[in-house]
Amino acid sequence: MSMNLERTNRRGFLKTAGGLAAAGAAGALGLTSITGRASAAPATFTHPGGLHSAGDINRAKVKVAAGEDPWLSGWNRLIANSHSHPTWTPRPQETVYRGGSDPQNYTILYNDIAAAYQNALRWHIQGVSAHGDCARDILNAWSATLTSIKGNADRFLAAGIYGWQFANVGELMRGYPGFQLGRFQDMMVNVFYPMNDDFLYGGDDGVSHNGACITNYWANWDLCNMASVMAIGILCDDGPIFDRAVNYFYNGPGNGSIRKAVPFVYDSQGLAQWQESGRDQGHTVMGMGQMGAICEMAWNQGVDLYGAESNRFMKAAQYVAKYNLGENVPFTKYTWGSGTNCAYNEHTTISSHSRGQLRPVWAMIDGHYRRRRNLSVPYIQRMAQAVYPEGGGGDYGSTSGGFDQLGFGTLMYSK
């Protein structure tokens, strides 16, 4: 499916059912906090403005040069990863397969993305052109080759997870000599975005979520596709695409929207139950990284999703962190429909499967709520300390779960 989308810079405005809304703390910071269906894209996109702002990059560069921790420890974790070496050779594929009977080559894609990201970070922080050249060459090789993503339903996971990650590397390499930005944008818009939009909104035929019951797919399926839509909107300076992700965050019918991903709030305890908590803790912690990435990208474009619904995501992250630190949390029975006929399912207890699993997602969340906002988040803080210093792809196993997040939050989000 090919899409020829107009990329525009245009003044963002807020349009909600009740008029305009701005939260106090966010307003004081010059950020937009919105509810309801809205246009929230900035008048002009900030670059770099995906997972990392210019301030993030400069802080890491200065602190590493000064030999200061925790940045230096994060840097040492980065340069010890074999993916960060400038000798990495890309292996672009015309079609990427995830799921189904075809040869599964998606491992090639996520390894190449990790290498591109890590070399991009090394170039930004240390300025060695060999790393910038390596990142550029990986991006150029894929944009010259990739035409489709196929497989069973897992193809939508590939389009989502690798879509938001790839777009963020492209954002970091914007303006680098020899980087074919236009061609890379075309790949993101024509290969990844149509699949993201198809899964979330139904694309041309209006049948979303692979034709299944709207609650069939776990929160992470929505979240990775939402993150890809947002990242592509930023990369391509496309306000309508960016807005599509923000609108789904508030109003999407699937499990990635904020009230579906966080269905139960325990305000008296400052906690909130995550949608996948009764499934297992590996995917639950993955959800922290996926929603965290959406919130961080939006923040860098002046939109506060971190604070949405009275810090609903913060309460969920506190809940997930507390349980994975070995402490007890409340649990409310969760029910959903599965398959195409919405067959009844329920979780009556929280799952202990994969409890305590460490993923490099916590430094970003801790960096926002505790360091930016000066809020008390003791469980998030303890989880960030448990993963310190955060690594990235290649540091947490060779299977896809170890590459679901780009990582290196200690280096990039310590403040």
Side-chain angles (χ1 to χ4, degrees):
M1 178 179 180
S2 178
M3 299 186 72
N4 192 7
L5 300 176
E6 180 183 3
R7 299 171 187 159
T8 59
N9 285 333
R10 56 102 169 99
R11 178 167 298 280
F13 61 93
L14 302 181
K15 182 171 59 182
T16 69
L20 304 182
L29 291 168
L31 296 162
T32 296
S33 181
I34 64 177
T35 58
R37 187 165 183 82
S39 280
T44 303
F45 281 91
T46 298
H47 300 296
L51 287 178
H52 308 305
S53 68
D56 294 332
I57 294 167
N58 186 64
R59 180 180 59 248
K61 182 177 181 179
V62 169
K63 296 297 186 180
V64 168
E68 294 185 28
D69 266 333
W71 301 272
L72 183 61
S73 293
W75 170 257
N76 287 335
R77 191 77 191 271
L78 170 63
I79 65 176
N81 191 310
S82 63
H83 290 74
S84 77
H85 296 177
T87 54
W88 188 274
T89 301
R91 294 191 293 156
Q93 308 290 305
E94 183 175 349
T95 299
V96 165
Y97 296 96
R98 178 165 178 169
S101 58
D102 291 287
Q104 301 296 289
N105 61 355
Y106 67 98
T107 60
I108 297 172
L109 176 56
Y110 66 63
N111 276 281
D112 275 4
I113 291 173
Y117 175 70
Q118 293 176 30
N119 275 278
L121 288 186
R122 292 190 67 170
W123 171 68
H124 273 288
I125 293 170
Q126 199 172 49
V128 176
S129 61
H131 292 290
D133 290 351
C134 179
R136 174 202 63 200
D137 292 347
I138 294 171
L139 300 185
N140 283 349
W142 279 90
S143 69
T145 307
L146 183 66
T147 60
S148 61
I149 300 171
K150 296 181 180 180
N152 60 18
D154 286 1
R155 69 191 185 277
F156 293 109
L157 284 177
I161 297 170
Y162 313 136
W164 74 258
Q165 293 181 353
F166 230 166
N168 268 280
V169 184
E171 178 69 7
L172 284 174
M173 297 308 295
R174 180 186 294 271
Y176 190 84
F179 174 41
Q180 300 294 318
L181 175 61
R183 191 175 73 195
F184 188 80
Q185 290 171 324
D186 287 343
M187 177 188 71
M188 298 309 302
V189 167
N190 292 317
V191 177
F192 290 88
Y193 179 77
M195 295 185 67
N196 305 145
D197 188 72
D198 183 35
F199 186 78
L200 295 172
Y201 286 102
D204 292 338
D205 61 12
V207 180
S208 70
H209 293 80
N210 202 32
C213 178
I214 193 63
T215 57
N216 179 74
Y217 289 98
W218 303 101
N220 273 300
W221 290 71
D222 271 7
L223 289 167
C224 67
N225 282 283
M226 293 158 61
S228 183
V229 170
M230 178 170 285
I232 291 169
I234 294 168
L235 176 74
C236 297
D237 291 297
D238 195 304
I241 288 181
F242 180 91
D243 289 343
R244 211 150 169 80
V246 175
N247 286 329
Y248 200 97
F249 181 90
Y250 281 102
N251 303 304
N255 286 322
S257 58
I258 184 64
R259 286 177 174 262
K260 302 290 181 61
V262 189
F264 307 112
V265 178
Y266 311 102
D267 274 325
S268 64
Q269 301 178 58
L271 305 174
Q273 186 172 314
W274 186 254
Q275 189 259 346
E276 298 189 60
S277 294
R279 180 190 184 193
D280 64 69
Q281 296 309 305
H283 287 96
T284 296
V285 175
M286 177 186 174
M288 300 300 98
Q290 304 293 327
M291 184 168 278
I294 293 168
C295 292
E296 187 68 18
M297 289 188 287
W299 179 272
N300 285 330
Q301 296 301 330
V303 178
D304 183 15
L305 301 184
Y306 275 119
E309 304 285 345
S310 301
N311 294 322
R312 199 178 184 102
F313 176 50
M314 180 190 77
K315 296 167 188 174
Q318 280 277 90
Y319 177 98
V320 173
K322 183 176 182 179
Y323 185 69
N324 281 276
L325 286 165
E327 300 191 28
N328 295 326
V329 294
F331 188 85
T332 301
K333 183 172 75 172
Y334 177 74
T335 65
W336 76 98
S338 65
T340 57
N341 61 350
C342 292
Y344 179 84
N345 295 270
E346 64 178 33
H347 284 150
T348 57
T349 59
I350 193 168
S351 173
S352 62
H353 184 67
S354 301
R355 189 178 187 181
Q357 183 180 103
L358 299 180
R359 287 183 179 234
V361 304
W362 296 103
M364 176 172 59
I365 303 170
D366 181 62
H368 177 78
Y369 289 115
R370 185 169 66 90
R371 299 183 182 275
R372 277 188 187 138
R373 299 294 303 280
N374 198 31
L375 298 172
S376 176
V377 287
Y379 303 112
I380 294 171
Q381 181 179 359
R382 285 169 56 193
M383 279 301 300
Q385 291 168 344
V387 189
Y388 174 93
E390 283 187 1
D395 290 321
Y396 300 90
S398 61
T399 59
S400 61
F403 292 79
D404 285 340
Q405 47 282 308
L406 291 170
F408 300 103
T410 302
L411 173 65
M412 299 308 299
Y413 297 113
S414 297
K415 296 178 175 61

